[in-house]
Amino acid sequence: MRPLTPHELKILAALDDEFMSASVIKIRSGHSSSEPIDGVCAACIELERRGLAERTGSGRRSKNRWRRSPQIN
């Protein structure tokens, strides 16, 4: 498995125990609010795939809400 990219590491560092939207993660990780959200979502999906983050719920509104996986706290 490849190592996490610097972008993914920033996203991981921005996550905590509470679920938050991708837009909040984007700002907490130091990205401009004008940047597209797609890169943050892609990084969160990769972190989720690796077991480092988890997503909440299943509806449209909750689709882009993540937190750090409880297993790595």
Side-chain angles (χ1 to χ4, degrees):
M1 183 178 297
R2 70 165 175 76
L4 293 174
T5 66
H7 173 70
E8 292 164 343
L9 289 170
K10 279 181 153 181
I11 300 298
L12 181 60
L15 296 174
D16 64 18
D17 296 338
E18 301 295 322
F19 285 105
M20 64 186 91
S21 69
S23 59
V24 171
I25 297 167
K26 179 173 69 168
I27 299 302
R28 288 186 64 175
S29 64
H31 293 84
S32 166
S33 61
S34 62
E35 288 182 47
I37 201 86
D38 297 342
V40 172
C41 291
C44 287
I45 290 168
E46 177 61 20
L47 294 172
E48 181 183 11
R49 187 182 74 76
R50 293 175 181 230
L52 300 173
E54 61 181 17
R55 193 182 329 198
T56 185
S58 61
R60 176 174 165 78
R61 187 175 190 301
S62 62
K63 181 172 81 170
N64 292 330
R65 296 179 62 84
W66 286 274
R67 71 177 179 184
R68 182 181 289 262
S69 177
Q71 299 140 335
I72 61 170
N73 286 334

